[in-house]
């Protein structure tokens, strides 16, 4: 079983459009939307939801004013400025560390597990999709990503599905780290801009730290050919396999509006380029897997 | 006055709006705070000089095994599996630690003291037009953005207008950036993804009780999805940035739209004065 995560460092470079197309082209796979803050994959992959479950994450402190003696012990010990002068816990600031609960002399503070969001299992044409919705202002996006990937691995094992595709979140923080830990390969989808370059360099450093091999795919490549060329040079120098470039094409937005993946919707230049990128990634993966086998 | 530029979706143009707004303000009126510490990009456009960098760290526990009696009180209080007893040793996992100090407080032997873990760097500089920029760069490999975002916001001078560039999403990092804002400017693109993530951010802002307005970026002049949503939710659309290849090319080079495309200048100047007006009146109905 191979697990490929699609990331970018930067938001808005086209990760989800590329993932949706990969998910359409892969004959038999599980696809995971790990951008739990702002999940979009479901909007572009026709699916039927089979099951829905609450995701329970961290705990939250709540002070019972009937028991509280306003001694100030909790206020003094909270490192997150989450308790107000009138002894009300701000649920957004509370980190769920339990320090106030432990030190309250009259046990006035409850500490219940919170429902942080919902996770879904859906069916699509080429296999299952695992996705989620993190509650507003909720924590534990990293944990939720790990839970989704774990579920995808179990499904793949059970149904003998050879591939898992993970649509990663932007950035390099907690949910991104959770998306790429122990993946077999990364596809970095970037755009030819100063910002895209800056963020790609950072995400590549993260990939190196986590020892995951990376591919580079440059989206909207003709918007700045010079930058595209310097990104290719960067890839060559830094041991990133170049998987191809996708020209700017309004069909990408049109496919989104139609609720379909680009390769299903269009035969245009961008769709053809994505097909080529997918081919390059699979050829290389099969080669390395054979070597490792 | 704190104005935060936000959007649930990445890549909608938060940084573009932030830097062009900053460049449209009267000289010396605004300072910019890039809170997208995982992928900070404002400096690419604003080109600050004379940079000063400060390493930012957070507290992690250090255990003195000479004093430790293996009572496990630290393990029991820790909610994040960052400290645990294995055989005759206490192991710490610094990357899991949320710096709540619970283990330090609870240890009956005083065996646990505060050590540090590096979160990243805080950078400050001023550009040729006198705009002061403060940003954070999360250390690669560090998972927790919020404590670094808090440090960036610590630098906000209440006497000036602060323009805060927020990270994408609606979880901890975005919320850390948006808290305590007087007004939020939501940048949205007219696509199904853009609409989906805009709605999530609006929900978050209503929880935080921050008034808001919308900027439509990459407006093709036809698609009405954001307009219809804004009308339904009674949120004002404050500006539309047209969708052109030229604009995309300018941004890709790290240049300012208002300087490279003269016809865009009035748009940002107008947007700046509208936003200031709304923020002062807390204009929008929540």
């Amino acid at each position: 079983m191979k697990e490929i995560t699609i990331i970018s460092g930067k938001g808005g470079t086209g990760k989800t459009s590329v993932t949706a197309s990969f998910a359409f082209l892969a004959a038999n796979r599980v696809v995971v939307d790990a951008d739990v803050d702002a999940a979009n994959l479901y909007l572009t992959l026709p699916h039927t939801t089979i099951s829905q479950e609450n995701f329970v994450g961290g705990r939250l402190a709540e002070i019972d004013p009937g028991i509280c003696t306003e001694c100030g012990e909790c206020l003094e010990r909270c490192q997150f400025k989450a308790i107000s002068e009138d002894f009300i816990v701000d649920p957004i600031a509370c980190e769920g560390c339990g320090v106030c609960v432990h030190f309250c002399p009259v046990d006035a503070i409850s500490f219940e597990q919170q429902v942080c969001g919902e996770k879904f299992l859906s069916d699509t044409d080429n296999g299952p999709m695992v996705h989620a919705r993190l509650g507003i202002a909720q924590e534990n996006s990293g944990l939720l990503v790990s839970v989704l990937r774990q579920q995808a691995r179990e499904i793949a094992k059970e149904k003998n599905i050879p591939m898992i595709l993970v649509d990663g979140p932007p950035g390099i923080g907690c949910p991104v780290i959770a998306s790429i830990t122990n993946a077999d390969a990364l596809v970095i989808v970037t755009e030819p801009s100063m910002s895209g370059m800056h963020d790609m360099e950072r995400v590549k450093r993260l990939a190196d730290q986590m020892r995951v091999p990376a591919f580079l795919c440059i989206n909207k490549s003709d918007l700045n050919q010079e930058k595209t060329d310097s990104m290719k040079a960067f890839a060559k120098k830094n041991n990133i396999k170049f998987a191809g470039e996708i020209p700017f094409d309004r069909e990408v937005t049109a496919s989104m509006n139609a609720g379909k993946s680009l390769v299903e919707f269009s035969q245009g230049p961008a769709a053809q380029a994505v097909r080529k990128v997918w081919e390059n990634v699979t050829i290389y993966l099969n080669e390395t897997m054979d070597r490792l086998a | 006055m704190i104005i935060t530029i936000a959007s649930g979706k990445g890549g909608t143009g938060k940084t573009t709006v932030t830097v062009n707004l900053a460049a449209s303000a009267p000289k010396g009126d605004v300072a910019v705070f890039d809170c997208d510490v995982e992928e900070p990009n404002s400096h690419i456009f604003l080109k600050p000089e004379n940079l000063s960098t400060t390493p930012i760290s957070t507290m992690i526990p250090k255990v003195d095994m000479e004093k430790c009696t293996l009572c496990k009180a630290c393990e029991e209080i820790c909610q994040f599996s960052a400290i645990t007893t294995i055989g005759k040793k206490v192991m710490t996992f610094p990357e899991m630690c949320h710096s709540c100090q619970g283990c330090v407080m609870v240890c009956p032997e005083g065996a646990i003291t505060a050590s540090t873990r590096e979160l990243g760097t805080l950078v400050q500089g001023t550009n040729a037009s006198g705009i002061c920029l403060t940003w954070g760069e999360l250390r690669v490999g560090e998972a927790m953005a919020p404590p670094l975002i808090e440090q960036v916001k610590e630098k906000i001078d209440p006497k000036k207008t602060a323009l805060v560039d927020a990270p994408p999403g609606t979880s901890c990092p975005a919320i850390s950036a948006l808290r305590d804002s007087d007004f939020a400017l939501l940048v949205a693109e007219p696509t199904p993804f853009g609409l989906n993530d805009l709605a999530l951010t609006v929900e978050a802002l209503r929880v935080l009780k921050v008034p808001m307005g919308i900027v439509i970026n990459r407006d093709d002049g036809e698609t009405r999805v954001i307009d219809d949503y804004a009308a339904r939710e009674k949120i004002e659309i404050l500006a539309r940035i047209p969708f052109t290849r030229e604009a995309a090319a300018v941004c890709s080079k790290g240049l300012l739209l208002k300087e490279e495309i003269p016809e865009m200048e009035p748009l940002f100047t107008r947007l700046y004065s509208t936003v200031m007006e709304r923020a002062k009146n807390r204009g929008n109905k929540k």
Side-chain angles (χ1 to χ4, degrees), chain B residues 22 89 110 127 157 165 167 169 182 194-195 197 216 258 261 283:
Chain B
K89 266 197 94 146
N127 74 359
D157 173 1
D165 191 357
D182 295 296
L195 176 63
D197 301 348
I216 300 181
K258 68 173 289 269
I261 308 175

Side-chain angles (χ1 to χ4, degrees), chain A residues 8-291:
Chain A
S8 65
K10 189 180 174 310
T13 59
K15 285 180 294 293
T16 302
S17 298
V18 168
T19 309
S21 288
F22 284 3
F24 180 81
L25 294 169
N28 187 12
R29 48 64 192 158
V30 183
V31 64
V32 180
D33 191 344
D35 189 359
V36 294
D37 269 42
N40 284 327
L41 194 62
Y42 77 100
L43 294 168
T44 191
L45 273 183
H47 62 282
T48 321
T49 299
I50 310 166
S51 71
Q52 179 177 348
E53 251 180 87
N54 278 344
F55 164 68
V56 179
R59 296 174 180 273
L60 207 58
E62 197 177 350
I63 301 173
D64 182 338
I67 307 174
C68 170
T69 58
E70 306 199 351
C71 69
E73 188 79 31
C74 55
L75 204 61
E76 208 170 300
R77 292 182 185 266
C78 176
Q79 302 296 311
F80 307 103
K81 303 187 193 114
I83 302 171
S84 68
E85 294 291 336
D86 42 12
F87 297 94
I88 294 167
V89 179
D90 172 356
I92 291 173
C94 175
E95 196 75 10
C97 72
V99 166
C100 57
V101 181
H102 180 91
F103 286 99
C104 176
V106 291
D107 290 336
I109 309 178
S110 64
F111 199 42
E112 296 303 319
Q113 278 209 303
Q114 300 298 304
V115 173
C116 291
E118 296 162 304
K119 48 185 189 124
F120 308 93
L121 174 61
S122 300
D123 250 341
T124 72
D125 282 347
N126 312 3
M129 170 164 71
V130 182
H131 50 125
R133 184 184 157 151
L134 191 70
I136 295 298
Q138 288 290 356
E139 310 205 342
N140 284 308
S141 54
L143 180 63
L144 180 51
V145 169
S146 303
V147 166
L148 295 184
R149 284 183 64 206
Q150 184 56 38
Q151 191 182 351
R153 278 195 290 269
E154 281 162 15
I155 294 168
K157 213 177 247 157
E158 180 195 334
K159 300 194 170 172
N160 219 349
I161 297 173
M163 177 170 289
I164 300 173
L165 293 170
V166 181
D167 186 10
I172 55 164
C174 149
V176 179
I177 291 171
S179 302
I180 65 181
T181 306
N182 299 325
D184 294 298
L186 299 180
V187 177
I188 302 174
V189 177
T190 185
E191 58 184 32
S193 67
M194 302 269 289
S195 301
M197 183 80 177
H198 174 259
D199 299 338
M200 171 183 80
E201 286 172 5
R202 283 164 66 80
V203 89
K204 168 62 175 135
R205 280 182 17 226
L206 184 65
D208 288 346
Q209 273 183 25
M210 306 189 72
R211 304 218 170 106
V212 185
F215 289 93
L216 176 64
C217 162
I218 303 173
N219 192 14
K220 311 170 207 170
S221 59
D222 51 334
L223 282 181
N224 187 336
Q225 198 56 48
E226 194 189 335
K227 212 22 114 196
T228 294
D229 295 339
S230 61
M231 282 179 154
K232 282 185 184 167
F234 174 87
K236 208 172 191 147
K237 229 192 331 227
N238 289 279
N239 199 14
I240 305 174
K241 284 216 119 17
F242 186 65
E245 49 188 276
I246 305 165
F248 179 83
D249 185 345
R250 284 182 189 253
E251 293 270 286
V252 178
T253 308
S255 69
M256 231 188 262
N257 287 327
K260 287 187 171 159
S261 68
L262 175 68
V263 289
E264 181 183 10
F265 175 84
S266 160
Q267 293 297 328
Q272 285 178 22
V274 172
R275 284 175 184 271
K276 188 82 200 126
V277 169
W278 176 240
E279 211 174 295
N280 290 342
V281 170
T282 41
I283 289 170
Y284 171 79
L285 273 178
N286 290 334
E287 279 173 8
T288 50
M289 292 296 157
D290 292 345
R291 272 210 305 278

Side-chain angles (χ1 to χ4, degrees), chain A residues 9-10 37 42 95 172-173 224, chain B residues 38-40 98 138 170 196 252:
Chain A
K10 189 180 174 310
D37 269 42
Y42 77 100
E95 196 75 10
I172 55 164
N224 187 336
Chain B
E38 294 179 46
E39 34 174 20
H98 287 228
L138 192 71
T170 54
N196 182 68
S252 81

Side-chain angles (χ1 to χ4, degrees), chain B residues 36 59 75 147 174 184 192 249:
Chain B
D36 193 358
M59 169 272 162
E75 186 178 322

